[in-house]
Amino acid sequence: MKFSILLEMVFDLLAKRKVTATYFAEKFELSVRTVYRYIDDLTLAGVPIQVLRGRDGGICISDSYKLPKGFMTKEEYESAIEALQMMYAQLPEERFLDAKRKLSAQVKAETRDFSLSADIGSILVDGGTWGDSGIFADKLRLFEECIKEKIAIDVEYQSRDGNRTQRRVEPHVLVCKQNVWYLYAFCHKQRAFRLFRVGRIVSVLKTEEHFVKRAFTRDDIPLYFQAMDTELIDVRLQIAEKAFADAQDWLGTENLRQVNKKWYADVSLPNDDTLVRKILGMGTDVRVLSPISLREKIKQYASAIAENYQA
């Protein structure tokens, strides 16, 4: 019973731009408290639902969300799309067209061999990862669409410490830095441009607000880690021959040099846990020569990992 209600709630959210807790409570004869508990269950299951507070608040599902691959057969999708078209013919409400568009996009996504997040031109970018289910690439495509059409979006953003905030932003450009995707957007809350990590954007809602693109240059985008409040340290690495290709992908060929048949890199890198995890991920093929502080940090992490497997 509960599963069928949760499923129907998802379909309602896909079909409507916004739903109130009272609507769900009346429809399923539940208390408002139970409705929010069910919403929490859906969120824990990975459905990107956003709860908007205030007079014009409500419950929304991210515009980038699609049903899991294989959720329905092609024939079932076609039947559902046809039914929505018939419903729209009898009652021409935008919500039926929205649901039809989302289901149609779902079918197209499941029949593609791979997902591209950019048009084919001088540069081709595949926004997905190896074995990607398409969810991340779908989010990139949505941002790309809003950038082109100059549509403001409401995002729920999770900071490094786990806190979530809701913001309205004007997306201007997607940035890929060291294999991490960012959205460079003008934030209404901060009244300034900000870089948002795409992976930390929990949900995205397209608004009906269009914006005029603001002037900016490439130098305005804080691509250097100093601008993102992350300290840089000078690092010297010794790299094994078998890790050379991985080091090229990570650091760039221009930062690698060979001395006495051994590879070295002298680079400035962000002094944070991400750097430690990256080095540990390359195992014994990469050795930190300096600074001493980074060597000690690597040792501590390695010891903690070893202790985790003692039991």
Side-chain angles (χ1 to χ4, degrees):
M1 178 66 178
K2 179 180 178 181
F3 177 78
S4 63
I5 292 176
L6 291 174
L7 191 59
E8 194 165 347
M9 289 172 75
V10 170
F11 277 111
D12 268 341
L13 289 168
L14 286 170
K16 300 176 174 64
R17 289 290 299 165
K18 190 186 300 179
V19 174
T20 64
T22 302
Y23 167 84
F24 279 143
E26 293 176 352
K27 179 174 181 177
F28 300 114
E29 298 182 353
L30 302 170
S31 67
V32 172
R33 176 178 291 183
T34 300
V35 168
Y36 282 117
R37 191 166 67 246
Y38 280 17
I39 293 298
D40 288 339
D41 290 340
L42 287 172
T43 301
L44 290 173
V47 182
I49 294 176
Q50 189 172 347
V51 178
L52 305 176
R53 307 294 180 181
R55 186 196 311 176
D56 297 324
I59 302 168
C60 310
I61 194 168
S62 177
D63 283 322
S64 64
Y65 179 73
K66 289 183 176 65
L67 296 171
K69 187 174 181 179
F71 184 80
M72 292 194 296
T73 65
K74 182 180 179 182
E75 290 73 21
E76 288 171 334
Y77 275 121
E78 290 174 350
S79 296
I81 292 169
E82 184 178 350
L84 287 166
Q85 183 63 44
M86 293 174 62
M87 293 170 70
Y88 179 75
Q90 297 176 13
L91 187 62
E93 293 186 2
E94 187 66 23
R95 60 192 176 100
F96 295 126
L97 284 182
D98 283 341
K100 179 187 173 185
R101 279 193 291 266
K102 289 180 180 179
L103 285 181
S104 297
Q106 178 88 14
V107 176
K108 290 179 182 178
E110 292 195 11
T111 55
R112 297 177 66 169
D113 293 328
F114 53 86
S115 297
L116 296 177
S117 64
D119 294 333
I120 296 177
S122 58
I123 298 177
L124 180 65
V125 179
D126 184 343
T129 56
W130 296 112
D132 182 27
S133 62
I135 296 174
F136 190 85
D138 286 336
K139 194 189 297 185
L140 289 179
R141 262 195 302 276
L142 178 61
F143 290 145
E144 189 177 35
E145 175 189 339
C146 292
I147 290 169
K148 289 179 179 178
E149 298 181 6
K150 300 179 180 64
I151 298 174
I153 54 178
D154 289 329
V155 301
E156 184 174 12
Y157 190 71
Q158 183 168 321
S159 62
R160 180 184 290 272
D161 58 12
N163 291 328
R164 293 189 180 188
T165 56
Q166 294 175 351
R167 314 196 187 186
R168 175 160 295 188
V169 303
E170 300 170 3
H172 278 61
V173 68
L174 283 164
V175 177
C176 186
K177 174 75 172 181
Q178 291 193 346
N179 296 324
V180 178
W181 282 96
Y182 298 87
L183 177 67
Y184 187 59
F186 184 83
C187 177
H188 285 203
K189 182 178 180 180
Q190 300 292 334
R191 302 304 304 167
F193 275 103
R194 290 289 184 269
L195 268 180
F196 298 93
R197 281 186 180 239
V198 172
R200 293 182 188 165
I201 296 177
V202 180
S203 66
V204 189
L205 298 174
K206 291 171 64 177
T207 71
E208 297 181 358
E209 176 184 331
H210 285 74
F211 63 89
V212 176
K213 192 172 182 179
R214 300 170 189 266
F216 71 96
T217 66
R218 186 182 187 281
D219 292 337
D220 294 326
I221 304 175
L223 296 177
Y224 300 101
F225 283 94
Q226 297 100 315
M228 291 186 283
D229 299 325
T230 304
E231 175 193 5
L232 284 178
I233 57 171
D234 293 328
V235 180
R236 191 176 193 211
L237 304 172
Q238 181 178 308
I239 301 160
E241 182 68 34
K242 61 181 178 180
F244 177 71
D246 291 333
Q248 281 183 308
D249 293 338
W250 176 30
L251 303 171
T253 304
E254 62 277 5
N255 289 316
L256 302 177
R257 56 190 178 85
Q258 192 176 34
V259 179
N260 297 327
K261 297 183 179 181
K262 292 184 179 180
W263 288 98
Y264 296 89
D266 291 283
V267 288
S268 295
L269 297 171
N271 187 20
D272 57 15
D273 290 344
T274 302
L275 174 59
V276 176
R277 289 193 289 267
K278 178 66 178 179
I279 293 172
L280 285 172
M282 300 183 77
T284 57
D285 295 333
V286 171
R287 183 185 180 199
V288 177
L289 300 179
S290 65
I292 297 298
S293 59
L294 181 58
R295 287 170 58 91
E296 291 302 316
K297 189 180 290 188
I298 296 288
K299 289 180 183 179
Q300 292 171 9
Y301 267 73
S303 296
I305 292 172
E307 289 178 7
N308 195 39
Y309 287 92
Q310 291 299 322

